[in-house]
Amino acid sequence: MAGRDRVVHLLRQLERAACRCPAHSNTFHQGVGAVSGPVRNTDYAFEMACSNIRYGAGVSREIGMDLQNFGARNVCLMTDKNLSRLPPMNAVLESLVKNGVKYEVYDNVRVEPTDSSFKEAIAFAKNGSFDVFVAVGGGSVIDTCKAANLYMSHPDAEFLDFVNAPIGKGKPVTGMLKPLIAVPTTAGTGSETTGVAIFDFEPLKAKTGIASRAIRPTLGIVDPMHTLSMPERVVANSGFDVLCHALESYTALPYNQRSPCPSNPIDRPAYQGSNPISDVWSRHALHVVANYMKRAVRDPEDLEARSSMHLASVFAGIGFGNAGVHLCHGMSYPIAGNVKTHSARGYSVDHPLVPHGLSVVLTSPAVFNFTAPMCPERHLEAAEILGADVRRVKRQDAGAVLADTLRHFLFDLQVEDGLVAVGYSKADIPALVKGTIPQERVTKLSPRGHTEEDLSRLFEASLKLY
């Protein structure tokens, strides 16, 4: 018992040193005694899962050797139409050819994928009998490749079997998948580290996804040279995704306040709530964003800044991939899914588009003003990291200070002035709220409970930013 009591004592010290706000005031020591005793309603454990990551300028040249080491005989190489002609794809193809790797290219990935575009990629994979997958692109490409690998490896599954409830059945993935190598070309989604694949479910005009540790890439090859081909607005919107991944995971409901407690570890969700390990990655990602994001957006040749943001995407991916996100992401899905006519600056696509990172960050001032009362210390720390002077700020003003800090940050980076600027009005709020309700997988990780009326007010507060 002495050793166990010491662990309890150390965890209590860590908790007291870390945060005393309402959402975290009983965070770490609660779980220590949960292995025995009465059945719990909330979880008592968390686990960390992450892809292997290889980082370095020019490291894409190694991918052909990796595929040889896997014994690959027939590789499915996925990308999108734009990237198929750009240097990142050329670098990967050159390595495959040099190492004698047989491959087929699928370049029909949709930016902001849908259930239909996922199904097209799945059909291609099933027809190809591939033994390894490679994704070269941003989150849309990597997520599409994850889905193709999953359903090719489970040929008898129906599409909704693995899709998150309540839209899908949310069944656990029990079979083995093929190896997947992800080569991210944007500095934002962190998809190379996570077991999550997001798409628009067209029948409901809402985003949903598949979340399972089983679908995370085997290896993420993070080559900062690929970020040099990113247009300015793609850099900005990708960076906003990193920003919100870090902020949301750091302020998420603590893991041992999340319910229900799984009866079997296979049922423990990928998004578990804030925890001591994810906190380290999320906080560090926020520091990198504060130091380098504006430089990365403004100077396409600033390799230090763009490389740093590429790593920040990985750091935040490890953080949110295990802790989860909450309201900004939950509310972003109907913003992107109900897009009308908005044409996104800097994106070469043939359909209306609100880029994911933009749809997430537009609600961030309102959201963090709302959640701050539950963990004001963390909100103040985030504001300070982003440049605010918080020395004389009261705890009750944490939300307003972080919201103002975010508005200044977004204004400096020429972000559109709220939801009105991307085509929405007050009349659209009921539909946006309706589209948020199915996102319980993430919205339930908000540190503050919320009603439909709260969501309505948050959308209304986000119609204009400045």
Side-chain angles (χ1 to χ4, degrees), residues 184-197:
T185 59
T186 61
T189 67
S191 187
E192 67 276 5
T193 70
T194 72
V196 177

Side-chain angles (χ1 to χ4, degrees), residues 222-454:
V222 183
D223 187 340
M225 301 305 294
H226 297 337
T227 65
L228 299 179
S229 60
M230 291 168 63
E232 174 188 325
R233 296 322 298 174
V234 177
V235 177
N237 291 328
S238 300
F240 294 138
D241 205 17
V242 179
L243 171 66
C244 288
H245 284 158
L247 284 172
E248 289 173 73
S249 56
Y250 192 53
T251 59
L253 186 76
Y255 73 94
N256 59 10
Q257 294 182 27
R258 191 200 75 251
S259 60
C261 182
S263 59
N264 187 309
I266 197 173
D267 296 320
R268 181 167 284 115
Y271 287 180
Q272 301 162 93
S274 62
N275 60 77
I277 300 179
S278 285
D279 287 349
V280 173
W281 293 100
S282 300
R283 190 191 298 113
H284 185 59
L286 199 57
H287 278 284
V288 178
V289 168
N291 291 330
Y292 291 104
M293 182 171 166
K294 291 180 183 179
R295 281 174 50 184
V297 172
R298 291 166 179 166
D299 184 357
E301 297 182 2
D302 189 337
L303 183 59
E304 180 188 19
R306 291 206 169 187
S307 299
S308 296
M309 286 300 298
H310 214 185
L311 271 179
S313 176
V314 175
F315 300 153
I318 298 170
F320 92 86
N322 293 283
V325 288
H326 55 82
L327 289 177
C328 291
H329 271 75
M331 295 169 66
S332 79
Y333 297 147
I335 294 170
N338 288 276
V339 60
K340 301 172 186 177
T341 59
H342 182 69
S343 179
R345 290 181 288 160
Y347 289 77
S348 299
V349 295
D350 59 0
H351 54 272
L353 175 68
V354 179
H356 173 65
L358 178 61
S359 70
V360 170
V361 84
L362 287 175
T363 62
S364 62
V367 163
F368 292 109
N369 194 25
F370 174 78
T371 57
M374 299 309 298
C375 42
E377 282 84 0
R378 292 193 173 213
H379 286 68
L380 282 176
E381 183 182 4
E384 185 174 31
I385 292 170
L386 292 172
D389 183 352
V390 301
R391 288 173 294 181
R392 293 184 175 87
V393 176
K394 297 177 180 178
R395 294 171 77 253
Q396 58 264 37
D397 296 326
V401 170
L402 180 53
D404 285 343
T405 304
L406 287 167
R407 286 191 192 94
H408 285 297
F409 194 81
L410 303 188
F411 183 81
D412 284 348
L413 288 169
Q414 301 179 342
V415 173
E416 286 85 344
D417 188 9
L419 296 178
V420 168
V422 296
Y424 291 104
S425 69
K426 191 171 182 179
D428 296 306
I429 289 177
L432 294 173
V433 171
K434 182 180 178 182
T436 305
I437 300 305
Q439 313 305 329
E440 183 186 354
R441 179 181 65 94
V442 294
T443 57
K444 73 179 182 181
L445 291 174
S446 167
R448 181 176 176 181
H450 52 276
T451 63
E452 291 187 27
E453 290 73 23
D454 290 325

